[in-house]
């Protein structure tokens, strides 16, 4: 995919290769005493590009974690950060383990030891390398990592900025947990604001009533499906999980399915909809928007030809293989690529990092002042209304809504929405204006690689 894009660019000799390669990958093996014996774990932290520092990227806990995967995901982080103008290089980490096999206190011991091994080599560091959550990790793990780093760097006043995705009470930011799913929603909303792009996918009308199939009801998939159904009027007609899928043409209640999974570990047995044991078959269901939000490589040469959705939104990283990408392009499907679609997480991580470094919550200084100024206008409107012979009234709720100054969550959502819109517009422009660019993925790569190349040109090697 990278090669397809650089073939259309005019980069100085050698720069293409410099950008392509992964700068460094650190492999660590460490032992933890668990259940009466020593267990050895293998972990990675890969740094793809340091054209900007710190480098940024999640830490994944999964059995399939390996060096190739971590390096590919680190590269994707470089382009993702460049595309959404988060001032970071790209990195990624992973630990080979299935977190569901361990008790919470065991996971804490493993996470702290992994964090120690990485921090010791500045592979966790507020100005060098800042991890975040990914598959199999969340607020809890980030909180342990932050605490471990702080214990090792007791005088570092910026210690909290060593990792993002922390819970709000431990240095996190409002809206980080929902951020990637929220970003997926904003990405789809922005796509729907571009008539020429919708036309390319053969989609008409607005989001209201559009049918959605989502794979993976974890952090990203759950939030994306919840917001699309509760706020945009979409109908989630299919949910695919580890143990199978649920299909209901009338639309599934995302919240209820999520609660069911929380209690029973899977979707089987849920009261509504039809249970399909071979969940991956539901990727081929007739729908308007397909949102793979679980694993990589799920849409591949084996099933790409059967995918019917005209719009595929890569909420997960790498859900469509290069071969499948070609088949889908030939079929005329539009793919909103991972590099852009799931960039909401790193965008809000950027806000969290800035918050940690500035040591103040967003909105704290300006909120009441903003409210006071709005109050002036409302008072004046009410005075004019009382003085007017016609006698008019403010719309119910107007006062309440207008008077309320923006708190941290509103500001985070506003910054995220702006970021997602701006990045989409840059990609869409390239897609629509260049005859040699026929898909959004290539357009995104062009925008992102150009920014990385510009940074290298400016600062030298
Ligand atoms: P998660 O662990 O919270 O959720 C993953 C979900 O997928 C779980 O519900 C799991 O049961 C389900 N799943 C696993 N195997 C499956 C299978 N074979 N079929 C169907 N469902 C399956 O992970 P997440 O954080 O939501 O991440 C999902 C994807 O999004 C990953 O590709 C990740 O790299 C990407 N991503 C995450 C973030 C973030 O902020 N968390 C940011 C950017 C990208």
């Amino acid at each position: 995919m990278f090669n397809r894009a650089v073939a259309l660019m005019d980069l100085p000799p050698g720069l293409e290769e410099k950008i392509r390669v992964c700068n460094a990958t650190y492999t660590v093996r460490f032992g933890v005493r668990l259940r009466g014996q020593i267990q050895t774990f293998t972990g990675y932290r890969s740094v793809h590009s340091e054209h900007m520092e710190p480098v940024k990227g999640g830490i994944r806990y999964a059995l399939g974690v390996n060096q190739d995967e971590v390096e590919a995901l680190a590269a994707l982080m470089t382009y993702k950060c460049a595309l959404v103008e988060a001032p970071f290089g790209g990195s990624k980490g992973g630990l080979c383990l299935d977190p569901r096999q361990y008790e919470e206190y065991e996971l804490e011991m493993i996470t702290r030891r992994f964090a120690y091994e990485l921090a010791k080599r500045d592979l966790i560091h507020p100005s060098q390398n800042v991890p975040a959550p990914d598959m199999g990790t969340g607020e809890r793990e980030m909180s342990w990592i932050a605490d471990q780093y702080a214990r090792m760097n007791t005088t570092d006043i910026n210690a909290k900025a060593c990792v993002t995705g922390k819970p709000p009470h431990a240095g996190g930011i409002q809206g980080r947990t929902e951020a990637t799913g929220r970003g997926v929603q904003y990405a789809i909303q922005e796509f729907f604001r571009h008539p020429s792009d919708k036309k390319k996918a053969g989609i008409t009308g607005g989001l209201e009533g559009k049918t959605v199939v989502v794979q993976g009801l974890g952090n990203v998939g759950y939030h994306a499906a919840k917001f699309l159904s509760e706020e945009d009027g979409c109908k989630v007609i299919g949910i695919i999980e580890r143990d199978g899928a649920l299909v209901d043409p009338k639309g599934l209640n995302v919240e209820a399915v999520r609660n069911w999974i929380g209690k029973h570990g899977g979707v089987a047995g849920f009261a509504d909809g039809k249970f399909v044991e071979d969940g991956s078959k539901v990727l081929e269901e007739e729908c308007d928007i397909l949102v793979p939000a679980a694993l990589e490589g799920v849409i591949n040469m084996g099933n790409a030809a059967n995918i019917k959705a005209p719009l595929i939104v890569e909420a997960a990283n790498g859900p469509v293989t290069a071969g499948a990408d070609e088949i889908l392009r030939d079929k005329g499907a539009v793919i909103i690529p991972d590099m852009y679609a799931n960039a909401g997480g790193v965008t809000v991580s950027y806000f969290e990092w800035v918050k940690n470094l500035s040591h103040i919550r967003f909105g704290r200084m300006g909120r009441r002042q903003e409210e006071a100024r709005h109050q002036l206008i409302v008072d004046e409107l009410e005075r004019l209304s009382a003085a007017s012979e016609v006698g008019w009234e403010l719309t119910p709720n107007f006062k309440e809504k207008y008077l309320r100054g923006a708190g941290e969550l509103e500001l985070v959502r506003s910054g995220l929405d702006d970021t997602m819109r701006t990045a989409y517009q840059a990609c869409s422009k390239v897609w629509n204006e260049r005859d040699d660019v026929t898909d959004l993925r290539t357009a995104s790569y062009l925008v992102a690689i150009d920014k990385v190349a510009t940074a290298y040109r400016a600062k030298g090697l």
Side-chain angles (χ1 to χ4, degrees):
M1 289 164 177
F2 176 90
N3 291 348
R4 253 171 64 80
V6 284
L8 305 174
M9 297 179 81
D10 191 17
L11 294 177
L15 185 55
E16 172 187 327
E17 183 61 10
K18 172 66 209 79
I19 296 176
R20 187 199 334 261
V21 296
C22 202
N23 288 2
T25 301
Y26 174 63
T27 307
V28 60
R29 296 181 188 88
F30 59 88
V32 181
R33 200 178 294 279
L34 295 172
R35 304 173 196 179
Q37 63 176 67
I38 294 171
Q39 282 195 36
T40 302
F41 296 91
T42 304
Y44 305 90
R45 187 78 184 157
S46 179
V47 176
H48 173 257
S49 177
E50 294 148 288
H51 67 288
M52 285 198 187
E53 286 189 296
V55 292
K56 190 104 191 64
I59 288 183
R60 172 176 289 198
Y61 283 3
L63 280 176
V65 163
N66 61 70
Q67 181 168 344
D68 257 3
E69 181 189 79
V70 173
E71 290 190 354
L73 291 168
L76 194 55
M77 282 308 297
T78 296
Y79 309 127
K80 203 180 288 188
C81 293
L83 185 63
V84 295
E85 297 186 339
F88 302 127
S91 183
K92 198 82 182 190
L95 197 54
C96 280
L97 92 170
D98 178 357
R100 292 171 308 161
Q101 303 306 319
Y102 296 92
E103 302 283 333
E104 183 165 348
Y105 79 94
E106 295 175 320
L107 278 173
E108 179 175 348
M109 290 201 311
I110 300 165
T111 303
R112 282 187 183 277
R113 183 59 199 265
F114 186 35
Y116 169 81
E117 294 294 334
L118 296 182
K120 182 163 94 170
R121 292 171 177 82
D122 291 340
L123 289 164
I124 296 177
H125 191 287
S127 58
Q128 294 279 299
N129 197 323
V130 183
D134 194 70
M135 236 164 78
T137 59
E139 284 189 342
R140 185 181 64 175
E141 287 73 16
M142 300 307 115
S143 196
W144 291 331
I145 292 173
D147 185 66
Q148 184 63 33
Y149 180 87
R151 286 187 193 185
M152 295 166 70
N153 298 274
T154 48
T155 56
D156 185 349
I157 196 167
N158 292 321
K160 281 204 162 52
C162 76
V163 65
T164 58
K166 304 177 291 293
H169 55 269
I173 193 167
Q174 299 292 336
R176 172 60 185 91
T177 304
E178 65 167 44
T180 309
R182 181 65 79 183
V184 170
Q185 176 199 26
Y186 289 160
I188 297 173
Q189 286 177 351
E190 185 57 18
F191 172 85
F192 271 78
R193 287 189 197 103
H194 292 248
S196 62
D197 299 2
K198 279 196 319 183
K199 202 166 154 207
K200 288 180 204 256
I203 289 180
T204 53
L207 264 174
E208 178 80 37
K210 290 284 180 289
T211 52
V212 177
V213 169
V214 60
Q215 183 190 39
L217 213 62
N219 179 322
V220 180
Y222 159 67
H223 285 106
K226 176 183 166 73
F227 300 144
L228 285 169
S229 57
E230 291 178 6
E231 297 173 14
D232 295 312
C234 292
K235 251 198 306 184
V236 178
I237 60 158
I239 292 177
I240 310 167
E241 256 296 329
R242 286 175 201 272
D243 64 326
L246 295 170
V247 180
D248 188 347
K250 296 195 299 296
L252 291 153
N253 181 329
V254 175
E255 201 63 47
V257 177
R258 169 87 163 184
N259 288 338
W260 181 268
I261 297 172
K263 283 200 196 98
H264 305 274
V267 290
F270 186 71
D272 299 329
K274 185 177 76 175
F275 176 70
V276 180
E277 202 165 328
D278 183 3
S280 63
K281 274 280 160 223
V282 176
L283 291 167
E284 299 167 18
E285 194 79 11
E286 198 93 47
C287 64
D288 297 309
I289 309 172
L290 176 60
V291 185
L295 310 170
E296 50 264 28
V298 292
I299 300 176
N300 45 48
M301 302 282 272
N303 62 0
N306 304 331
I307 302 287
K308 297 179 194 67
L311 180 64
I312 298 159
V313 186
E314 294 185 329
N317 283 313
V320 176
T321 63
D325 191 66
E326 195 176 336
I327 297 173
L328 290 165
R329 262 187 280 125
D330 289 347
K331 274 171 59 128
V334 167
I335 300 175
I336 301 186
D338 45 8
M339 182 200 306
Y340 165 70
N342 67 39
V346 75
T347 302
V348 177
S349 274
Y350 167 40
F351 302 156
E352 180 178 335
W353 180 72
V354 171
K355 175 186 178 181
N356 292 152
L357 294 178
S358 60
H359 299 268
I360 187 164
R361 147 170 69 76
F362 289 106
R364 184 161 174 183
M365 300 297 278
R367 182 172 184 172
R368 301 300 166 196
Q369 208 265 349
E370 188 190 347
E371 289 182 0
R373 291 175 71 86
H374 285 183
Q375 185 72 54
L376 280 178
I377 294 182
V378 168
D379 289 349
E380 193 60 9
L381 283 174
E382 285 181 336
R383 190 187 66 75
L384 288 172
S385 162
S388 149
E389 283 181 9
V390 192
W392 37 271
E393 267 180 33
L394 298 176
T395 319
N397 287 343
F398 167 81
K399 239 170 102 168
E400 193 189 29
K401 275 160 85 182
Y402 186 65
L403 282 180
R404 199 164 168 269
E408 187 169 79
L409 185 59
E410 286 91 348
L411 291 170
V412 163
R413 286 183 182 159
S414 155
L416 175 60
D417 194 8
D418 183 59
T419 304
M420 296 307 289
R421 288 186 199 215
T422 311
Y424 186 86
Q425 286 157 15
C427 302
S428 172
K429 190 166 183 294
V430 173
W431 187 26
N432 282 289
E433 289 182 2
R434 281 186 63 159
D435 291 338
D436 54 353
V437 176
T438 53
D439 63 298
L440 256 179
R441 190 190 311 278
T442 307
S444 309
Y445 267 104
L446 286 180
V447 174
I449 296 170
D450 185 55
K451 287 185 199 280
V452 178
T454 307
Y456 271 121
R457 277 201 208 100
K459 80 181 204 67
L461 291 175

